[in-house]
Amino acid sequence: MELELRHLKTVRTIAEAGSLTRAASLLGLAQPALSAQLRRIERALGGALFERGRHGVRATGLGELVLERARLVLPAVSGLQQEAVRFARAQAGREGGPLRLGGTHGPLLGALVDRLAAVLPEARVTTHASWSERELAALLGEGRLDYVLTGVCGTATPPDTGQPAWEEFAVDPVFVMLADGHPLAGAREVDLAELADEEWTCVPGDGCFADCFTAACARAGFAPRRMYETDVASCAHLVQVGRAVGLCRATFPATPGIATRPLAGTPLLWRHLLGRPPATPLAGTAATVLAEARAAHAQAAARNDSYADWLARRGGPARRLTPPGSSPVPDPALNDTGRGVHAPWPGLP
């Protein structure tokens, strides 16, 4: 693993917080995830950065060296980014510059690029894909991205790094991916408890889904077994060969050898979000991007037979989805214009 700026920020946060528990809370991570990340950083640097004790953590000699450099590097890089953004905006102007989109890996980002190319033919569209929702939010807050496609589960709040503005444009149920030959592949829906003995596959991520999934499994009476964390194509392969099952968005595209089925009772939901800088009004280009994100989702939903069947059995747009422990949220068949609309352990493919 190569050392990145975000790793230095993590080390600095741990040192300032004085404990992994407080640092995890500040970073929006579960403590086990932060501990695992710290171990990877320490392996990359060749030694322990902190000593743990009853009263928290204390930097080692190597840790003090890294922190000293981080206190110089991080402000310098932040200043460079701000100056570069101001310079680029002065040179090209906001309307004449490229349209910079960010998103987690998945088909919706590509579909949005396709639609924007049709409605904004003069725009120069660039994309930045990342497994990290916090990274995307930070890039948005720093002015290095114009819009970000991401999502959160249930009633969780979106990343607040840089204070971006978020628009919810769709809500989906979470489905399960099964091999075509799986005993449950022919069912119209699958109870999460029926998967208690399965192994799982997932894509990386640093959002809320790990905690949401673990809580849903606990409510179903089990703890997940072995987890394979890998890219989307490898997740699909592990499901196809029967090595594992996985969770996916209800709009997951049809894939040979894979059946996607709804979970009984809809224990997990995924809310699709479009982020923009707080100073950008929801008008002009921003309104166009939001409308095209909704349309891209609607197309994805219409192409998924399992999702269409699920919606039809619910009685159509009059029904509503409700995350556990929350008030009702809009049905995924509708957005606020009345048109159709459109992440496993920690992320959904």
Side-chain angles (χ1 to χ4, degrees):
M1 182 188 79
E2 293 185 359
L3 191 67
E4 301 176 12
L5 288 174
R6 62 189 179 92
H7 299 142
L8 294 180
K9 293 177 181 178
T10 296
V11 172
R12 182 184 63 181
T13 301
I14 294 172
E16 292 176 349
S19 79
L20 288 178
T21 300
R22 287 193 291 273
S25 177
L26 291 171
L27 292 169
L29 298 172
Q31 183 174 331
L34 178 59
S35 297
Q37 185 179 111
L38 177 59
R39 287 194 295 271
R40 290 193 294 269
I41 295 171
E42 289 176 328
R43 284 197 298 269
L45 293 172
L49 301 181
F50 297 98
E51 296 176 350
R52 300 193 192 190
R54 295 179 56 188
H55 302 293
V57 297
R58 183 179 64 181
T60 62
L62 176 59
E64 290 291 355
L65 173 65
V66 173
L67 286 166
E68 180 182 349
R69 298 295 191 273
R71 294 184 184 107
L72 296 174
V73 170
L74 291 175
V77 172
S78 178
L80 172 62
Q81 291 173 345
Q82 294 171 5
E83 290 180 20
V85 168
R86 288 195 294 269
F87 179 82
R89 288 178 177 175
Q91 290 292 105
R94 292 297 293 159
E95 293 300 321
L99 190 60
R100 303 163 301 173
L101 305 179
T104 48
H105 294 255
L108 194 56
L109 180 60
L112 178 58
V113 172
D114 176 51
R115 295 192 63 87
L116 290 176
V119 299
L120 299 173
E122 301 303 318
R124 293 181 289 124
V125 181
T126 63
T127 63
H128 176 84
S130 172
W131 298 117
S132 171
E133 297 169 11
R134 294 183 61 82
E135 176 193 356
L136 292 170
L139 292 174
L140 190 65
E142 293 166 2
R144 298 168 62 191
L145 290 175
D146 298 309
Y147 303 97
V148 162
L149 283 179
T150 186
V152 294
C153 57
T155 58
T157 57
D160 62 359
T161 307
Q163 302 287 317
W166 299 98
E167 299 290 335
E168 180 184 298
F169 64 90
V171 181
D172 281 340
V174 173
F175 279 20
V176 61
M177 299 187 295
L178 305 166
D180 277 346
H182 192 284
L184 297 174
R188 299 195 78 174
E189 62 181 25
V190 176
D191 195 302
L192 185 58
E194 296 179 281
L195 304 171
D197 294 328
E198 299 286 350
E199 296 184 351
W200 297 82
T201 184
C202 69
V203 295
D206 60 3
C208 61
F209 205 83
D211 291 337
C212 296
F213 176 49
T214 302
C217 292
R219 290 193 296 268
F222 71 97
R225 294 179 61 196
R226 185 176 183 178
M227 179 65 60
Y228 302 96
E229 184 175 317
T230 184
D231 59 275
V232 174
S234 297
C235 283
H237 176 75
L238 291 173
V239 173
Q240 288 167 327
V241 300
R243 171 61 60 185
V245 301
L247 299 181
C248 64
R249 309 172 199 187
T251 52
F252 187 78
T255 304
I258 293 179
T260 62
R261 294 292 180 264
L263 292 171
T266 317
L268 291 164
L269 295 176
W270 189 252
R271 296 163 48 220
H272 294 270
L273 303 172
L274 177 72
R276 69 183 192 280
T280 302
L282 188 55
T285 301
T288 298
V289 174
L290 179 60
E292 295 308 319
R294 287 172 170 158
H297 178 277
Q299 287 181 331
R303 287 194 297 264
N304 189 299
D305 292 340
S306 183
Y307 195 8
D309 177 70
W310 183 86
L311 289 171
R313 286 188 287 111
R314 286 175 56 84
R319 301 292 300 275
R320 300 169 71 86
L321 288 175
T322 306
S326 74
S327 57
V329 297
D331 186 280
L334 292 178
N335 60 31
D336 61 5
T337 66
R339 299 193 301 269
V341 300
H342 193 20
W345 176 283
L348 284 174

